[in-house]
Amino acid sequence: MEYRIIKSPTQGTIDILCRRKGSGASKTMDYPDAIGLIQGRMIEMVCAADVAEKAVGVTVEDIRGNCPQNMILLAIFGDTASVEAALDEIRKKEKEGKKEW
C-alpha cells in the first residue's frame, strides 16, 4: 500500500476529492485539517477503512478512479492528529501481516 498525508488541504484539493468520492459530492462534511490517502488493492482498502474508523474519529471515503467499480484509493478526513493515528494503525496492522485485521 502507498500512503500520503495532506496537512491543511486547499479548497481545490478538497473539491477534487469530493467530486470523486463514492458517496458523491452531495454528502457534506466538515472542512478537514488533514487528508490521509491510501492506495492499494481492494481487499486492503476495505480492511484499512475498517481499521481507521475503529482507531479514531475520522471519516473514510472511497475515491473513484478510472474504473468506478474498483475501489483502490481511500481518503481519510479529520483533524491532523486523528488522520496520523489512523494511518499509523493501518501501517501497524499491515506490518503485522495478519490475515485478520
Side-chain angles (χ1 to χ4, degrees), residues 4-82:
R4 301 287 188 278
I5 188 166
I6 301 170
K7 296 178 181 179
S8 302
T10 65
Q11 187 61 51
T13 300
I14 293 169
D15 290 345
I16 289 168
L17 292 171
C18 284
R19 283 191 303 269
R20 301 195 65 83
K21 63 186 182 152
S23 64
S26 61
K27 183 179 176 187
T28 60
M29 81 175 111
D30 294 332
Y31 187 88
D33 292 332
I35 302 169
L37 299 173
I38 306 173
Q39 184 175 0
R41 297 179 310 155
M42 182 180 278
I43 192 168
E44 295 168 334
M45 296 303 92
V46 172
C47 292
D50 187 62
V51 168
E53 289 181 339
K54 287 177 179 175
V56 289
V58 293
T59 300
V60 180
E61 289 279 351
D62 62 298
I63 305 299
R64 289 174 281 147
N66 293 333
C67 193
Q69 70 270 23
N70 291 326
M71 178 178 61
I72 59 166
L73 180 70
L74 289 180
I76 301 172
F77 299 93
D79 63 82
T80 302
S82 295

